[in-house]
Amino acid sequence: MLAASAAATARRVLSWKDRAFLGAASAAVLAASYSIVHEHGWPWDCPDPYNEAVSRAAAHPQVQSELGTPVRGRWWWTGSVQVAGNDTQRDKLRGLHGRASMSIPLVGPQGSATLDTKAVFDGREWAIFVCEVTLADGAMVNALDQETAKEGTESPLSHMVSAHGARK
């Protein structure tokens, strides 16, 4: 008898009020999650080349004037980040090298754009050698120009780029 009542309770069908409440609660959780991701980006860390490239593009005066401030990168980027080499316990970074090629959507209060970036990793740090923003009107902005113009010389990253066989 006890087993029969337990089976009946397990098969209990939810009333329309219970279903309506669960549906509304689920919709509220989904809407809140979407709002948080839309406003703040995805909750896990982005790769270092992503962070560096977005920072450079967001700091460029022409990008700021076109998109407004703040300029943020969206989490839905495409491309690849690869790190390979000899990983030893004694020195975790010795022998490691890598490449990154990414296309990152940028957004600001006044519009959106696409950031294309390429970088190399020498075992110590990532060096960006392409950081180009394509604005909505098709104009291209080289976000590395600002840094190079300040120094009045060749980019400080050129020694790393040439060491990895990448084009300038």
Side-chain angles (χ1 to χ4, degrees), residues 1-10:
M1 184 87 174
L2 188 59
S5 68
T9 312

Side-chain angles (χ1 to χ4, degrees), residues 18-50:
D18 291 338
R19 284 189 225 150
F21 173 76
L22 288 174
S26 298
V29 167
L30 287 173
S33 300
Y34 174 79
S35 176
I36 289 169
V37 168
H38 182 72
E39 182 66 28
H40 301 289
W42 202 247
W44 60 70
D45 289 339
C46 290
D48 290 341
Y50 170 99

Side-chain angles (χ1 to χ4, degrees), residues 106-161:
L106 296 177
V107 67
Q110 299 169 2
S112 61
T114 302
L115 169 62
D116 291 310
T117 188
K118 294 183 189 295
V120 292
F121 182 65
D122 71 350
R124 294 183 313 275
E125 63 183 350
W126 284 94
I128 295 176
F129 62 94
V130 173
C131 192
E132 296 175 336
V133 179
T134 305
L135 301 172
D137 63 1
M140 299 221 11
V141 177
N142 184 350
L144 295 178
D145 279 349
Q146 181 181 12
E147 176 182 306
T148 305
K150 281 183 191 174
E151 296 179 10
T153 62
E154 192 174 346
S155 170
L157 306 174
S158 60
H159 72 284
M160 291 177 66
V161 173

Side-chain angles (χ1 to χ4, degrees), residues 65-141:
S65 70
E66 291 289 328
L67 302 183
T69 55
V71 174
R72 294 187 315 241
R74 290 292 186 209
W75 60 273
W76 193 279
W77 58 271
T78 58
S80 65
V81 178
Q82 301 167 344
V83 178
N86 225 354
D87 187 11
T88 63
Q89 285 298 93
R90 188 171 44 114
D91 184 358
K92 284 280 188 196
L93 298 178
R94 178 173 291 162
L96 290 180
H97 61 278
R99 290 183 172 279
S101 178
M102 307 168 85
S103 182
I104 305 164
L106 296 177
V107 67
Q110 299 169 2
S112 61
T114 302
L115 169 62
D116 291 310
T117 188
K118 294 183 189 295
V120 292
F121 182 65
D122 71 350
R124 294 183 313 275
E125 63 183 350
W126 284 94
I128 295 176
F129 62 94
V130 173
C131 192
E132 296 175 336
V133 179
T134 305
L135 301 172
D137 63 1
M140 299 221 11
V141 177

Side-chain angles (χ1 to χ4, degrees), residues 44-60:
W44 60 70
D45 289 339
C46 290
D48 290 341
Y50 170 99
N51 294 328
E52 180 68 23
V54 170
S55 295
R56 287 176 188 238
H60 197 280

